[in-house]
Amino acid sequence: MSLKSSKNNKMRSGQFALSPVAKWVRTAAIAGVASSCVFSAHAQQEQAKATEVEPDVEIISVTGTRRTIQDQIAIKREATTVVDGLSSEDIGDLPALSIGEALESITGAASHRENGGATEITIRGLGPFLSATHINGREATNGSGDRSVNFSQFPSELVKKVAIYKTQDASMIEGGVAGVIALETVTPLDYGKQRLQGEVKLNYNPDESNVDNSLQSDLGYRGTFSYVDQFEFDNGQAVGFSFGVQRQDISQPEAEYRSSSPSGSSLWACLNDPTNTNEGFYRSSAGDCEDQVNGSNNQGYDTEIDPDTGKAVSDGTPYAWTGSSRSFRQNETSDERDAVFFAFQYQPSAEWDINFDSQISDRTQREARHDLIFLQKRATPGVTGPSLVTNDVGGILHWEGEERIESAGEQFSREENYRGYGLNIEHTVNDRLTIDLDLAYSKTSREELQISNRGRTAGRNFFSWDMGDNIPHFTLTDFDVTDISNFTDSLRTRIDRENVRDNKVVSARLDFDYLVDSGMFTTIQGGVRTSELSFTQFGGTNGNGSRNQFTLGSGAEALDVLQGCQIDFPESGFLSSVSDGNIITHVDSDGNVVDTGTGSSWATYDNECFSQAVVASNEGGVFEYPEVEYQNAGTIDVTEKTTAAYLMANYDTEMFGKFIRGNFGLRIVDTEVTSIGFRNSFDVVTSDTGILSLVESDTGTLDKIKGGGDYTKFLPSFNLVVDYSEDILLRAGIYRGMSRADPSDLGYSRSFQEDTSDTATTISDLLVGVNGSGNPDTQPLMSWNYDAAFEWYPNEDSIFALSLYYKQFQGGFQQRTVIEDFVVGGETVSLPITNSVTNDEESEILGLETSFSYRWDNGIGVKFGYNYADTDFEFEDSLYGDTFVTDVDGNTTQLKEGIVEPGSVPGFSKHVFSSQLYYQIGGFDTAVIYKYRSEYFQPYTSNGTRLRYVDSVGVWEMRASYKINKHFRVKAEAINLFSAPKSQDFFVEDNLGEVNDYGPRLFLGLSYKL
């Protein structure tokens, strides 16, 4: 039993604890629902459970899905902010396979799916960059270079509570415009009972049964063990600890169709004009469709403004989207994760409470990829243009021509390690004052290793393809893709170490809680917090990493490598759930179908064998992964120091015959960003005639450069809860929120533009501008947020809630020219650079959110959640959108007239829906879940300025369990039950870019509880 007083047992922010009024309301509601005509029978049952009974009367214990939904309802009802949450009676009982899946069951939450599971979470249809994630009240790090959190890194079995705060109060760490996602692990003494638990879940994926997986067997598993205990001593002291460990070893089958992505320079809008023979699909000579026969290369549709017309150079010209390749990818996969959660709680007296907790997660994902690639940009005169069929947005539906074909492969691994530690010391100074000190450390490290191989055809083969219902289907003339000897030209292997990142947050927080206990105010809270976030991405010989590359020409040696490393195609029924039949049809010159080479497979090889053989064929070649380095032009090194202070008043009183409660306060946030980069060292050389020039230093050293920025923001907040009646609450909240730019966007890469006219006599004349990326002075996106809600609680199993919210953003993303100072040759030079900034444009989001839960006496219950939102926020594509630049004097000029409509808020979905039908009687508990999310714009982390749309999708899940006795329970769970694929469009909707087919994931488990 905890020694803390009931006053101190209440959480300081009021998120999960019941205020006195809330307790009264809950009791009154339970007593009052007996008069409800709709829920009368059920209400009498609940009232009987809540009433004191004689010792010989059986007390009904509510568990399972019903208990989980009851806890969700209670969390929402008792909070002073707009919050939806999920908690479990025991550690390990959250009804989900991952934190991502658990959060998806909360109204208004949806996920971005990777490898078949939920990863990043959006709130109310808004992208993860507008949200913040806290573990035990502390910031969490990640390895992606942004501020979202990969929830698949944390096992749901070791988390006690999850909640989404959709309005905020001044005590909460800043950073979430859409909301704050909070995860809590168990505190042993507050848990209050001894518990030993173990669980083993076997994993079977039907799509994996068709794969000869070299990385993982057909069956995987998740094993979890946890133990909680407490000890009280005669001297009044108490100690408690909890320990949890999980081992996961599963496969994540994935089959893919892919087109070149828009994140680089390989996807183009090529002209489709029969009268233009100089470029596009009707060019007079064979070549890439984005190049001109006479003129410039890498052009395609020209969006630059023609000064004579004020329109784009290519205005009015038809076009079609084509990438450098279209391909199929077969994957062998493995996902291994080891996680350890530990907590220690010590109460030396009733006045002191000391908590230490840690979360450790090591995850390794591996893939053996086998690709069949059709190079695609080349236009064949007289064939490609006349035969091309497109849809209304320029997406290609039929293509014909001659191009090379490749059998390629990749061996990929990603290791991600998370470490989170926290120390919290709470001291009750007297009956009124409590002081709380919190120290925290969070670090995520990520590293990716990749082998990329290629064998291609010596000549260009004729093929065509037609778009099916979901993916294209190819027809090849006189070419057998299953014959390895057809791919003996230009063998190449690349060995990469990339995306080596460290993200760390160190913080300290000191808070006080002072009990006023007079009038309407109950407590005054305040505190200060300081934190330092650091993000480092190491550079190398290839931008964000390092690369070793080896080649082998065609001939007998190349054929020996391919045949010596050849393997059977690892999968039967490849992409069968999304294809209309064979993905490849081999025909002869007369159009007759040839059996060999017709189907859904191609010639493949072992990636490591291929790479080692190609390396060995190069004299002195050594097969090894290259090293990355800190002192490199590709390095990003960002430090963000934040100091925040807040003051908040909590109130709880009666007014106009109604009980009201809530809080209001102000949080002040000061942030300073320092960013370090590296550039080639150079000397300023003066000729005999006094002309200056830049000469790269022959020492091979790099110059360290530094940039930065700062801002101070004021974040007021106000929350109000009105207990309108025994079962009706009215709720309102107003707060100002902020969302910071991603750490990877705060880098500082700079290089000088030199005047090459040989006339510069001063450094100011010599240096005319700066090229570079990253802006450490990027200001946060600010918003005013307004919420109003009506909530009806007929009984503990039922809720109807309707919320309206409005968000007014100040800030968008725009290219702007600014002046930065540089020290060159001991002289300070002010130079212009054009970079992405946060502008002062205003936009709005208006939304509606509703929740409904009800349970019948026969054990059947339902739960629905729906969120609708609309916005006028616009995100222009940097390549094919409207582009403007603002000079140093504030004058804005349009540079490009785009051909694609702007995207919305990154991650924004107009519709998000979740539903649950459950049945629970006796020891049997089952639920069917459906989750839907409409289409949304999802930026790339490598180039977040290009548009990529994820199509709408609905996913079914199911779970069932049976309690054998008080110790044992069997469980069955299914994710993506009907194999819903993920489909993505590039630049515009209906221009298909990628389809990922995951298949269902099945788990069968046995748990033990003592």
Side-chain angles (χ1 to χ4, degrees), residues 49-116:
K49 287 192 299 179
T51 305
E52 289 190 16
V53 295
E54 296 299 323
D56 58 343
V57 177
E58 180 184 4
I59 298 177
I60 299 175
S61 176
V62 180
T63 60
T65 300
R66 183 183 179 190
R67 173 61 180 268
T68 299
I69 291 178
Q70 286 184 354
D71 288 345
Q72 286 183 273
I73 294 172
I75 288 171
K76 186 175 186 67
R77 182 170 193 165
E78 295 155 9
T80 54
T81 55
V82 178
V83 60
D84 287 279
L86 187 67
S87 67
S88 61
E89 179 185 10
D90 285 317
I91 182 173
D93 281 354
L94 280 184
L97 287 170
S98 73
I99 296 300
E101 270 95 23
L103 286 166
E104 280 186 307
S105 67
I106 296 175
T107 299
S111 75
H112 178 69
R113 292 191 299 158
E114 295 288 352
N115 301 113

Side-chain angles (χ1 to χ4, degrees), residues 265 268-271 276-301 322 377-379:
S265 57
W268 300 91
C270 289
L271 300 185
N276 187 345
T277 59
N278 189 48
E279 56 188 317
F281 295 102
Y282 287 87
R283 53 181 294 146
S284 59
S285 61
D288 290 346
C289 63
E290 80 276 11
D291 294 342
Q292 295 177 337
V293 177
N294 297 302
S296 62
N297 293 334
N298 297 329
Q299 181 63 66
Y301 186 102
T322 189
K377 296 188 300 178
R378 187 176 179 85

